[in-house]
Amino acid sequence: MKNITTRQFRILADHMEIYQFMTNIYEKDWRNGVPAPFFEYALSSSWMDKSYTHRNRIWEDQGEIVAFCFTENPVTDIFFNLKPGYEELAEEMVQYADEYMPHIDSEFQLRLFKGQKAIIEAARKQGYQQVGENMDMIYEYDKPLDYKLPEGFRFVEQGKFDVAKSMECCWKGFDHEAEEGPWNGDAEAGYHLLQAPHATKQYAVAIENEAGEYVCWAGMWWVPENNLAYMEPLCTIPEYRKMGLAAAALSELYRRMKPLGATHMTGGSNPFYAKIGYKPMINWTCWKKEQ
C-alpha cells in the first residue's frame, strides 16, 4: 500500500538522493524526466539562480523519492520527474507548480517530454496548452563515430587539461565575448563545476591549436548505471568553427566512453548532430496558460 508524503527540496541534504532517483527511473527518451546529470550540472553551475531551489518539491512513498518538481534555468522553466506506477501524482504535481513555482514577467512554462503522458494530461486539465517543441538527438554506440582531427590541432592529454583555458574556451565558444566582453580570467566557477559530486572531468575533451589555445571543448558526465555518456557542454570558439573540430571531439568522446560500457551519448537539436550520425530521440515540449 502506498503511503505518499511530500516536502520541500533541501539543496544541501537532498541532492544525492535526487541524483539516485533520477538515475533509477532514467529512460533514453526521457519519458520519466531528465537524466541525473541535467540537474546536478545546473546546481553546480554559476549561471543558475539557486535562490528558488527551496520551492522544488519532493514526493515520497514510505521514504522513497517517487516524484520531483523543480526549476532549472531560467527559474520559470519547470520540470517533472515521475516514477512509473505513480501517475496518480501528476495532477497534484502540476497544481503545485502552478501555484508555488516562480512566475516572473509572464515567462512561466512547463517543460515536458513527449513520453510524459500523465503529466501532459494533467497540464491540459489545468488549462495549459502546448506552445512549442524541439527534438534533441542522441548518438547510438552501435556504430563507430570516427571523425578525424584536422591538421594543426591536437587533443590535450586526457585528464590533464587546464581549467582556466577550458573556461576561456567556453566563454568564447558560447559567444559571451561578443556579447559581454573579453574573458576576465576568473576560473573559479569552472573549478566549482568540475568538483560536482558526480562530475567525471577525466573524460572531457579539449582540442588546442599550435599555439596551445583551447579552441574546442566537450564535457562529459558518465553515468554507468544508465550506460549514458551525457555530453555537456560542447563549444568551439567562433574563428575555428566549421572545421570539423566538434565532430572530432565527439569522436574522441566515443573512443573514451565506449570501452566503459556506454551505449549512447547525448547531443542537442542543432542540425550539426544529424549530419554526423545522431538520431532524433528526446522530444521537448513547452506548455503555457493564456494570460
Side-chain angles (χ1 to χ4, degrees):
M1 180 179 294
K2 295 176 181 177
N3 181 17
I4 305 297
T5 57
T6 184
R7 60 181 177 84
Q8 300 308 113
F9 172 75
R10 302 163 298 177
I11 191 170
L12 297 179
D14 293 320
H15 167 70
M16 300 297 277
E17 287 187 62
I18 288 293
Y19 188 95
Q20 190 60 55
F21 162 63
M22 290 181 169
T23 299
N24 290 344
I25 67 169
Y26 171 76
E27 292 288 350
K28 191 186 299 184
D29 62 1
W30 298 16
R31 73 186 68 170
N32 298 327
V34 301
F38 180 95
F39 187 59
E40 180 167 288
Y41 178 67
L43 282 183
S44 305
S45 299
S46 60
W47 43 258
M48 180 181 172
D49 181 353
K50 301 172 187 65
S51 63
Y52 289 92
T53 57
H54 65 284
R55 298 198 188 184
N56 295 345
R57 189 78 170 171
I58 293 171
W59 283 259
E60 296 176 311
D61 182 1
Q62 301 183 66
E64 175 194 356
I65 297 175
V66 296
F68 186 44
C69 171
F70 65 97
T71 66
E72 202 238 7
N73 184 61
V75 295
T76 49
D77 278 9
I78 312 303
F79 293 83
F80 303 84
N81 277 55
L82 180 60
K83 182 178 179 178
Y86 290 85
E87 288 79 8
E88 69 270 19
L89 296 177
E91 289 191 26
E92 181 180 337
M93 294 175 74
V94 173
Q95 183 65 38
Y96 173 81
D98 193 58
E99 293 185 12
Y100 297 106
M101 296 303 260
H103 291 63
I104 302 172
D105 298 328
S106 301
E107 294 298 320
F108 184 84
Q109 63 181 0
L110 310 183
R111 299 285 278 171
L112 308 179
F113 302 99
K114 210 69 170 184
Q116 293 187 293
K117 295 179 180 179
I119 303 289
I120 288 173
E121 181 59 28
R124 283 199 181 101
K125 286 182 178 179
Q126 296 189 36
Y128 285 88
Q129 297 179 347
Q130 183 176 330
V131 296
E133 66 180 317
N134 66 279
M135 181 73 74
D136 275 2
M137 290 172 266
I138 67 164
Y139 191 83
E140 299 276 11
Y141 275 16
D142 56 355
K143 60 179 180 179
L145 186 60
D146 191 24
Y147 286 85
K148 305 301 181 184
L149 189 63
E151 291 187 11
F153 301 92
R154 56 182 172 265
F155 294 115
V156 175
E157 183 180 352
Q158 184 172 341
K160 302 294 185 181
F161 63 85
D162 183 287
V163 176
K165 284 186 177 182
S166 69
M167 291 298 292
E168 182 177 9
C169 180
C170 288
W171 181 264
K172 295 177 179 179
F174 287 103
D175 298 319
H176 293 300
E177 187 171 58
E179 299 171 2
E180 303 173 51
W183 164 247
N184 64 11
D186 183 5
E188 182 179 353
Y191 285 104
H192 181 69
L193 178 62
L194 295 171
Q195 294 303 315
H198 298 93
T200 53
K201 56 185 181 294
Q202 66 270 31
Y203 303 120
V205 171
I207 297 175
E208 62 182 0
N209 60 17
E210 292 179 338
E213 177 187 18
Y214 288 10
V215 296
C216 183
W217 172 261
M220 174 51 58
W221 300 71
W222 168 229
V223 189
E225 300 95 327
N226 301 145
N227 304 109
L228 168 63
Y230 186 88
M231 188 279 299
E232 184 70 42
L234 174 66
C235 65
T236 304
I237 66 176
E239 57 265 41
Y240 289 92
R241 292 172 184 165
K242 300 187 182 301
M243 299 177 65
L245 296 177
L250 293 177
S251 297
E252 179 64 14
L253 282 178
Y254 169 85
R255 288 187 286 270
R256 294 180 184 184
M257 307 314 297
K258 176 70 172 179
L260 300 180
T263 58
H264 57 294
M265 177 165 60
T266 58
S269 58
N270 191 293
F272 152 77
Y273 292 101
K275 290 179 182 178
I276 66 170
Y278 273 70
K279 302 297 183 184
M281 177 61 65
I282 305 159
N283 193 175
W284 297 62
T285 63
C286 301
W287 295 73
K288 288 186 175 185
K289 278 185 177 180
E290 290 188 7
Q291 300 299 316

